[in-house]
Structure formats: C-alpha cells, structure tokens
Amino acid sequence: MRKVVVIGIGMHPFGKFLDKSLPDLARVAVWNAIEDASISPRDIEVAYVGNSLAGLVTGQEGVRGQVVLRDAGLGGIPIINVENACASGTTAFRGAWLEVASGAYDVALALGVEKLCLPRTADSIKILAADSEIRLRDLGFQFTAYYAMKLRGHMEKYGWTKVQFAKVVEKNSYNGSLNPYAQHRTPLTVEQVLNSRLVAEPLHLYMCSSIGDGAAAAILCTEEKARRFASKPSIEVAACVLRSSMFRHPSDTTTPTTVTLAANYAYEQAGLGPQDVNLAEVHDAMAPAELYHYEELGFCEKGGGAQMIEEGRTKITGDIPVNPSGGLAAKGHPIAATGLAQVAEIVWQLRGEAGKRQVENPKVGLVQTSGGLVEDDTATAGIVILKR
Amino acid sequence: MKIFPQENTYYRLRNGKPYLIGSKCRYCDYVAFPRKVVCPACVTKGSMEEVELSQRGKIDTFSVLHIGAPGFAVPYIVAYVVLPEGPRIFSMVSGCEPSEKSLEIGAEVELIVDKLRDDEQDNEVMGYKFRPVGAESG
Ligand SMILES: [Zn+2]
C-alpha cells in the first residue's frame, strides 16, 4: 500500500437550508476542497460520493454522485456511490483512500452530502427511521430510544448521572459556538440542557443531534503528487478502517465492542496507541454517547467516561480534547456529511487552522463514526487516524 | 380496522394466548428470535428448528419515548426484554403508565398482542408487546 495524504478539505455549513438542493450543498463543499488543495478540478481522477437518504428525501435514488458532481463541473471519471447510514462519509473516505493506496489512481475525491430538512419536520423524522432495520421501526424503534436504553444501562452499571450527560453538552455546545460551520452556535448550561424537553428518558432535546443539511469533502493523493500541488502541509492517513457489527452470544462478556475492534485494528495499522492520540472527533449522535466512546477508543477504563468529563480532560484545553468542532449534537448531523466533517475538523486542527477552537499543537487526530443499527448494535463502525 | 401483520411470522396464538416463535440450533442449542435459517452462533445452515418461546421475560433496559416512530402515539415505553431461553427482544411495553416510575430494570413482563400504531390507511396495526406481570390490560 502506498502512503496517502489529505491535501484539501471543504464544507458547506451544517444547518437548515430549505432553499438549497443536494447539488447546491455538494458544489460548495467540493469547490472549497479543490481551492483548499490548490489543484484544478481536472486533477481529480476518481470520486466516492456518500449519501444516505436522498432517495427518500428527493426521490433521487440512483446515480446521486453523478448528478451532484456534474453540477460541480466534474465528470468523465469513475464515480462510486456509497451508503452506510451515518458512516457514509467515512465509507466514501475509505474508498478514496483505497484507490490511492492501492496505486489505481493518484488523486481522489471523497464527498459526503445530505439534505434532510423538509417543510414538515415529521416527514424528515419518518425518513430517518429508514437507517435502522425497518422491522424494528415497525415495532416502535427510534434512534433516540437505542441511545437512551444503552445509556440507562451505563447509569445502572457505573452510576453515571444526567448531570454528567449535560456536561458533555455544555462542553460541545461551547465548542460549537466557536465553529462557523456549526448548526447550533449557542453555548448551553447544564441547567438549560436538563430543562429542555424530554425526548427519550434519560435524553433531553439538547443532548440530541438535530435534523440538518450539509456537505463535506476531502481530496486525497499520493505523497509525491502532494509535493507537486499543495501549498499547505499535507496530512497523512495513518489508518483507515471500516467494520460491521457481528453476532454476539448473550453469554459473551469479553469480546470488545464493534467500535473497539475497529479502533484496535486502526491503532495497529497506524503503529500507534490511544495514548498517542492528541484529539478526537467521535460520533455523539446523542451527546452522552461520547462518554462510552472514550472507553471504546481506549482513552479510559470501562465506565471511566463520566470521570473524564468531570475532570475536563476532553475540553479543547484538556489533555485529550474530544469533539472540538462541537460534535454531532452542536455541529449538526447531516448523516452522510458527518464522517467527512469529522475528517475536516481533524485536518484543520493538525494544520493549526482551527481558529478559536485550536487545540494546542496536535500531531495525531482520530475520527470515529458509527452508522445505522442492526439488531442491537451499530451496523457500521469507521475509524480514521490522521497525523502530520 | 384491526390488522395483524405479525401473526405466524413473529408470534402465534394458542388457546387465545400469544407466544413468540423462535428457532433453536440442533448443534449448539442457541435460541434466536426472530426465526433464522442460519444459526448466528455456530454459523451452520439448516440447523435451526422452530421453538415456542416463554411468554415471560425480564426488562434488561427501557426508555420512555416522547418523540416516537411514525404512527406511534407518544409517550410510550420501549424496552429490551430478555427471555429465559436467551433472546433479547426489542418491544413496546404497555399496561402501565408511560412513565419512568412504572418500570425498573429486572422487572418481570409478559407477552401480549395489542395495538402498536395507526397506519396510513387508518388501520390499527396490532402486534406483540410486553406488559408488567399482573397488569390488567394491554
Ligand atoms: Zn448453532
């Protein structure tokens, strides 16, 4: 495998944009990435496009990537459409990485784009349910219910509290208030979070990511090509891993979670360990989920997540900042755009371009994305480790 | 009109009482719900035989939903229920107030068939649910 670097990233802000189409969102992210990389769009040799729900939202079920990229001025290259629910963007990133790493192409684009906002919010909520097993939706399943029930288990087992959950939101909403691309830019207090309406016990509204539109893109290439184009320091892809969940016997209490298995493989690929990670963007579709991701990624012992938030270790100024972008709950969660927005944040941070959110001198950053749900586990887990 | 789309797929009735239809592996004794052809535990094809599952189980975890799935009237309780044979089953819980105080982890529940939701043609979609043991209605 060849060494692969990220030379350009771009985003369309996350939020509610009823007047913008899927191609509108994609065009902005793609061109921001092209300009960031200082390349010509004609240098792009292959593209992966992640989108989860456009088939239901707009009716554009097939050839979504070809439609949105033609509008951005790209064509004549292989365009591969990928779908992996919330991990669609991370899956697109992996496809682009693999094209370059394998030697098939030298310059690849990864795009994640999602349009979810509809004039009637109820229509959007109904569509979102399609990213879990439909069998479960028909039994009353909602994503919030899954997170709520999992978190209740942790409350029971480790004594975690709702106040600690609200502290995650306090941290991430503050981070989001510093991010010009974030959907929600108002810092929230613990009290405001606990006073927001209940969505699914123990989750309150402000703990949950909201429905939004957005896009994010990355341009990957070989080290050698990067020297030819890029004016900015290139960021190395040290690991790129995708995994699906598997059957787990009820009596099995020792096999690590799907996220941990993916992370362990990524650490092995990168030749690094959790102690080498300087910052992380994790999949907090519901903010308190961040707490068990800390342990799944090896940042703390089992059940130690709540203590990490109490001690402020994951703040921008802490020893292992998590979700400096604001995370999914503050930044917004346009499904397929999320993974690439996480990559964008890590690249900005590693380049020292994160402005007021800048973490002090990071060298290694990690992205963790979970996608969808099968039976009672995440359907897909993606991990990307980037380093400068 | 009441419709029963899950009958004979997820549950059957015997003497008017529902039971869930599982499958048990001839080789490794693993019990699955819903029914499977390939045993997920030992990954053998064709080793699964239909079995009738216990009508009672215990709450493993639960939540009261205030924003629900399409067509479901809120608030309602959802839970993972563990049956003695092993399966951990996602289900609604009714027969009690949809409140935090109505349930606890470990509480015993029993299987019923009750209304799940209204569909787009205004049918009442019926299906399996659990209720606390001793509750009077669904
Ligand atoms: Zn078996």
Side-chain angles (χ1 to χ4, degrees), chain A residues 13 84 108 114 139 142 161 185 232-233 236-237 241 349 368:
Chain A
N84 254 338
E114 202 75 58
L139 294 169
Q142 265 280 33
T161 66
R185 274 174 261 164
K232 288 180 176 170
E236 185 190 334
V237 183
V241 168
Q349 291 282 354
Q368 177 262 325

Side-chain angles (χ1 to χ4, degrees), chain A residues 257-277:
Chain A
T257 66
T258 306
V259 171
T260 300
L261 290 169
N264 289 349
Y265 183 35
Y267 289 135
E268 193 187 311
Q269 227 181 61
L272 297 167
Q275 71 285 352
D276 300 311
V277 175

Side-chain angles (χ1 to χ4, degrees), chain B residues 23-138:
Chain B
S23 44
K24 182 173 180 174
C25 178
R26 228 177 316 149
Y27 299 129
C28 76
D29 289 336
Y30 178 75
V31 177
F33 175 84
R35 283 179 287 179
K36 302 232 189 267
V37 172
V38 175
C39 173
C42 69
V43 199
T44 305
K45 192 183 79 172
S47 62
M48 299 302 271
E49 291 167 343
E50 189 176 311
V51 286
E52 178 178 330
L53 299 178
S54 299
Q55 284 149 319
R56 287 188 179 190
K58 283 191 170 133
I59 299 285
D60 189 43
T61 182
F62 70 100
S63 179
V64 184
L65 301 195
H66 299 269
I67 295 177
F72 288 75
V74 287
Y76 63 91
I77 302 178
V78 293
Y80 279 108
V81 174
V82 176
L83 298 186
E85 295 87 352
R88 186 170 181 262
I89 294 169
F90 176 84
S91 173
M92 285 171 77
V93 175
S94 58
C96 57
E97 278 293 302
S99 124
E100 277 293 280
K101 294 178 186 72
S102 305
L103 274 186
E104 53 188 34
I105 291 175
E108 216 181 343
V109 288
E110 64 187 357
L111 190 74
I112 55 170
V113 170
D114 192 24
K115 179 182 163 179
L116 296 174
R117 62 184 169 102
D118 290 311
D119 72 8
E120 277 155 2
Q121 291 75 43
D122 277 331
N123 293 311
E124 284 186 55
V125 182
M126 308 294 284
Y128 72 81
K129 277 186 184 178
F130 285 85
R131 71 175 176 200
V133 168
E136 287 296 309
S137 63

